[in-house]
Amino acid sequence: MSQQTLIETQNIYKTYKLGTEIINALSGVDIKIKKGEFVSIVGKSGSGKSTLMHLIGLLDTPTSGKILLNDKDVSRLNQNELAFLRNKSIGFVFQSFNLLQRTSTIDNVILPLKYSKTPKSEWAQKALKMLELVGLSERKNNKPNELSGGQKQRIAIARALVNDPDLILADEPTGNLDSKTGAEIIELFRKLNKSGKTVVIVTHDEELANVTNRKIIIKDGKVSKSL
Amino acid sequence: MKILEVTKSSITALGANKVRTVLTMLGVIIGVSAVILLISIGRGIQNYITDQFDALGSNLLFVSPGKVSFGRDPGNSFSRNKLEEKHIKLIETHVADIVEQITPMVNVSETVKYKTKYYNAAVAGINEQGKYLFDYSIDEGTFFTRADVRSQSRVAILGKSVKKELFPNQSPIGQIIKIGGDSYVVIGTAKEKGSDFDEQVVVPYTSAISSFELKNISRIVVKVKADKDMNIATKLIERALLRDLEEDDFTVLSQADILSTIQNILQMLTIGLGAIAGISLLVGGIGIMNIMLVSVTERTREIGLRKALGATPFDVALQFLIESVILSVTGGSIGIIIGWLASFAGRAYIRTEVPWWSVAIAFSFATFVGIIFGTYPAVKASKKDPIEALRYE
């Protein structure tokens, strides 16, 4: 396994204004995630783990401190540069799947390719390969509402993988699934990690966090433990 | 993301809500078809007027009582009428070499009766030269003569429509008709000439003056010899008439003057009608904006997702803008077809015409409305914070 650092936060702070009140969501977080790691970020509701996930996922920028992606500072990029990096380097998996209901599963998987520089002629082939990887290639023409929850999440994972990103960032990926299906999804993440993908799972569920190789526990906007 | 892909994706999004899409387009459809139809009707009225003048023949000068000036208070022109028969002689005497034909004209709107049948005809009193001047072709019978005019003969020529109405199955020649209170003998019928001529009953002007107890004539019509200049002819006739009349007592207008003035007025009217219809197009645009704003709110999560997957603010704005442009352009195209069909149906009544520029204006205005009213929702969509948008329930 490579020991190169994929993503690193250096003393990051994030403060919000809620009316007149100032909320310190993160106060000085330093974490390092190496390439090929399988990590969970764990914390209770309000701990700041979601804020940290948004920053790692390049959906937001820190109030102060630095975020390095592949040793490059990405904490002061503009909207367009962030969008480009999200498309290329991050694959999101959400708790509620977030599939577009009106298009087929293969079109859902193609969606990130539309915002990339990949030529159109390769879209269908790439998407189909990802559907095969998650075991749903025969459902490529189905609409999302014709699939079970577990299948929907597999489609979402295929979508996250299609641009071959550096990082799979999953936010409570089993939160809407029963325990058996949830376990299957976790198994899929483990398989992806074995094949070399860096996977970060953000969760409040300690049990789920135990399946990863490392836990980063967030409490009151700080890293309380890294195991 | 390429335009073609965005367009495909927009069509899918619009197709997901078919009823709403059609209802939203309806505003633009109605607006555009109204613009096309009203302009074509305006054009139809212009065509009608032009046809009327063409039927009159060319090289005509009209001497009207009073100072006629379009754009000024038209009431003045009717304030006093000093035109009399003697002024014809004045023109004939002093500028004989430019006059091909000349006739006084008396116009009265009167009910014409034959037995139990009625017709509301335009009674035109002219002299025997009027036949050539207005280029009447006689279908049956004869035109009246100089002697008829001198002796105030009660004789009449019927226009095509009058003949059809009063004498559908018989020859009117020799029959007695009543014009107002007096009896007239029908001595001829005119061939179809189009426009108002077919609804006329032509009588000697002297007879009309005595029948209707008129003091003055309505106007003098002069056909100028083909080789004479119309502007010079106008000046010469004016000079002849000034021997007896004041400058403000009469106006000499050429057919071209009158036609161009009327055409100008009608052009304004047509543009005015189009502009009023344009307001409904504007309302259609507001409808589009309204629905696009609803759509942006409904699809907040989708916007968040697209941004998370790498859509730039521009990508998001473009998608919503293209959706509103598709609405307005599709609505505009359907509106053009409906407006054109309606205008075509209107041809049963008036010679409507859909000028290419009205199609171009209506279509570009519809597109423009789509862009203008689509921009605000699109910008609103593009500014959504992806984190907030993904949390949206």
Side-chain angles (χ1 to χ4, degrees):
Chain A
M1 214 181 269
S2 157
Q3 290 303 298
Q4 217 180 331
T5 303
L6 174 63
I7 197 150
E8 182 177 356
T9 68
Q10 294 178 348
N11 197 28
I12 53 171
Y13 282 77
K14 185 73 188 178
T15 53
Y16 297 106
K17 260 189 188 166
L18 204 69
T20 50
E21 206 183 341
I22 290 171
I23 294 168
N24 294 304
L26 295 177
S27 348
V29 172
D30 295 282
I31 61 166
K32 235 183 220 187
I33 294 164
K34 295 195 173 74
K35 276 189 182 158
E37 268 200 295
F38 190 17
V39 187
S40 55
I41 295 174
V42 197
K44 293 202 173 72
S45 177
S47 61
K49 68 174 191 307
S50 291
T51 305
L52 182 59
M53 182 204 77
H54 294 146
L55 291 172
I56 295 173
L58 307 180
L59 288 165
D60 206 353
T61 49
T63 311
S64 70
K66 268 187 186 175
I67 300 172
L68 304 178
L69 177 70
N70 288 320
D71 300 325
K72 238 180 67 191
D73 187 2
V74 294
S75 43
R76 299 286 174 267
L77 299 181
N78 67 29
Q79 288 290 320
N80 290 339
E81 291 164 329
L82 287 174
F84 173 76
L85 276 182
R86 282 198 296 270
N87 180 253
K88 194 177 123 216
S89 306
I90 316 280
F92 286 96
V93 177
F94 304 96
Q95 180 177 355
S96 53
F97 324 129
N98 281 331
L99 300 174
L100 292 183
Q101 298 300 325
R102 56 175 185 269
T103 58
S104 63
T105 58
I106 190 158
D107 280 335
N108 268 287
V109 178
I110 283 173
L111 197 56
L113 292 170
K114 289 187 177 176
Y115 297 109
S116 75
K117 293 202 168 95
T118 313
K120 198 188 166 183
S121 53
E122 295 173 22
W123 291 358
Q125 182 208 339
K126 281 198 172 194
L128 200 60
K129 217 171 121 193
M130 291 306 127
L131 283 174
E132 270 163 22
L133 190 72
V134 300
L136 283 171
S137 54
E138 76 280 8
R139 309 301 296 270
K140 65 177 177 153
N141 292 323
N142 287 77
K143 293 275 168 71
N145 58 15
E146 295 161 345
L147 304 178
S148 70
Q151 287 173 324
K152 282 182 192 168
Q153 197 59 301
R154 282 167 187 272
I155 299 296
I157 291 168
R159 180 180 64 193
L161 289 168
V162 76
N163 263 340
D164 193 21
D166 298 319
L167 175 68
I168 298 292
L169 189 56
D171 181 17
E172 304 279 9
T174 59
N176 282 15
L177 303 173
D178 61 61
S179 54
K180 185 172 167 283
T181 322
E184 283 167 15
I185 293 297
I186 294 302
E187 197 43 48
L188 180 57
F189 280 125
R190 197 198 300 279
K191 211 176 93 187
L192 290 172
N193 176 248
K194 286 239 170 77
S195 71
K197 281 280 166 216
T198 313
V199 179
V200 173
I201 293 175
V202 181
T203 183
H204 69 283
D205 183 353
E206 294 259 359
E207 215 173 306
L208 171 60
N210 285 334
V211 305
T212 61
N213 298 338
R214 185 156 74 97
K215 278 199 280 188
I216 298 169
I217 300 168
I218 304 290
K219 200 178 169 190
D220 300 328
K222 286 181 180 147
V223 179
S224 79
K225 231 188 258 176
S226 186
L227 302 165
Chain B
M1 197 147 121
K2 294 121 202 147
I3 293 276
L4 189 70
E5 280 306 314
V6 185
T7 309
K8 268 190 205 163
S9 153
S10 300
I11 291 170
T12 316
L14 292 170
N17 250 316
K18 288 190 187 69
V19 176
R20 185 202 280 184
T21 301
V22 171
L23 286 175
T24 310
M25 279 196 293
L26 207 54
V28 179
I29 293 173
I30 291 170
V32 168
S33 51
V35 169
I36 300 278
L37 182 61
L38 287 180
I39 289 178
S40 87
I41 289 173
R43 268 305 177 98
I45 296 170
Q46 286 187 21
N47 287 337
Y48 174 77
I49 299 284
T50 311
D51 290 350
Q52 296 268 359
F53 276 84
D54 284 348
L56 272 178
S58 53
N59 282 358
L60 298 188
L61 285 178
F62 298 82
V63 181
S64 305
K67 200 76 212 159
V68 179
S69 174
F70 291 100
R72 280 199 217 151
D73 181 7
N76 288 338
S77 36
F78 303 110
S79 54
R80 55 213 153 99
N81 183 351
K82 292 186 180 170
L83 279 188
E84 291 172 43
E85 284 181 76
K86 63 176 178 183
H87 298 121
I88 296 170
K89 303 215 167 60
L90 211 56
I91 295 172
E92 280 179 325
T93 319
H94 293 281
V95 288
D97 58 327
I98 61 158
V99 176
E100 177 92 33
Q101 281 122 18
I102 183 165
T103 181
M105 206 167 176
V106 175
N107 291 101
V108 183
S109 187
E110 192 56 76
T111 306
V112 178
K113 275 184 267 181
Y114 173 69
K115 291 185 178 164
T116 57
K117 294 197 179 89
Y118 291 82
Y119 194 92
N120 281 316
V123 178
I126 56 176
N127 68 14
E128 76 289 348
Q129 294 181 40
K131 174 179 188 284
Y132 308 101
L133 201 149
F134 293 116
D135 198 20
Y136 285 113
S137 300
I138 295 299
D139 193 19
E140 199 183 342
T142 55
F143 206 79
F144 50 76
T145 62
R146 190 177 174 83
D148 289 325
V149 175
R150 280 197 177 158
S151 60
Q152 302 181 9
S153 290
R154 300 290 160 97
V155 292
I157 320 291
L158 304 184
K160 193 78 183 171
S161 308
V162 186
K163 190 253 162 191
K164 265 189 194 157
E165 194 66 31
L166 297 182
F167 301 95
N169 302 315
Q170 68 176 106
S171 167
I173 308 299
Q175 302 298 324
I176 311 284
I177 56 169
K178 287 252 183 196
I179 302 176
D182 293 342
S183 298
Y184 280 74
V185 181
V186 179
I187 59 164
T189 61
K191 279 193 180 146
E192 194 163 350
K193 192 164 159 65
S195 66
D196 285 351
F197 283 102
D198 292 340
E199 296 177 8
Q200 269 182 352
V201 172
V202 182
V203 299
Y205 78 95
T206 48
S207 319
I209 285 175
S210 78
S211 276
F212 301 109
E213 293 169 355
L214 301 171
K215 273 191 219 135
N216 302 95
I217 56 176
S218 308
R219 66 180 65 84
I220 298 167
V221 185
V222 181
K223 185 168 187 179
V224 178
K225 283 183 178 161
D227 58 338
K228 303 293 178 193
D229 183 275
M230 292 297 276
N231 289 326
I232 294 169
T234 306
K235 288 273 174 287
L236 290 171
I237 290 171
E238 277 172 356
R239 202 184 293 167
L241 288 172
L242 282 171
R243 289 164 184 268
D244 187 60
L245 293 167
E246 300 289 317
E247 201 174 320
D248 283 352
D249 293 339
F250 70 95
T251 309
V252 182
L253 284 172
S254 75
Q255 189 187 340
D257 291 338
I258 299 172
L259 186 59
S260 80
T261 310
I262 293 177
Q263 290 287 26
N264 281 344
I265 294 168
L266 287 175
Q267 187 74 28
M268 295 292 288
L269 184 79
T270 304
I271 291 168
L273 284 175
I276 290 166
I279 292 172
S280 65
L281 194 49
L282 212 60
V283 175
I286 294 168
I288 289 182
M289 177 154 77
N290 198 8
I291 283 302
M292 289 313 295
L293 285 173
V294 171
S295 180
V296 167
T297 307
E298 275 181 356
R299 285 153 68 191
T300 299
R301 270 184 92 91
E302 177 191 330
I303 294 166
L305 171 73
R306 285 178 185 271
K307 284 197 161 183
L309 299 184
T312 60
F314 178 78
D315 287 328
V316 173
L318 191 67
Q319 185 182 351
F320 281 90
L321 188 61
I322 284 183
E323 279 182 32
S324 69
V325 170
I326 288 174
L327 281 174
S328 68
V329 166
T330 312
S333 306
I334 296 171
I336 286 170
I337 294 168
I338 291 177
W340 186 83
L341 287 176
S343 153
F344 193 75
R347 288 202 165 192
Y349 307 99
I350 190 165
R351 197 153 63 84
T352 58
E353 194 184 305
V354 179
W356 67 267
W357 56 262
S358 76
V359 174
I361 286 176
F363 191 77
S364 0
F365 191 45
T367 312
F368 178 71
V369 157
I371 293 170
I372 291 300
F373 289 100
T375 298
Y376 174 62
V379 168
K380 207 176 161 190
S382 75
K383 282 192 176 154
K384 280 199 187 283
D385 175 9
I387 298 166
E388 292 297 319
L390 279 168
R391 272 195 202 129
Y392 187 84
E393 294 295 332

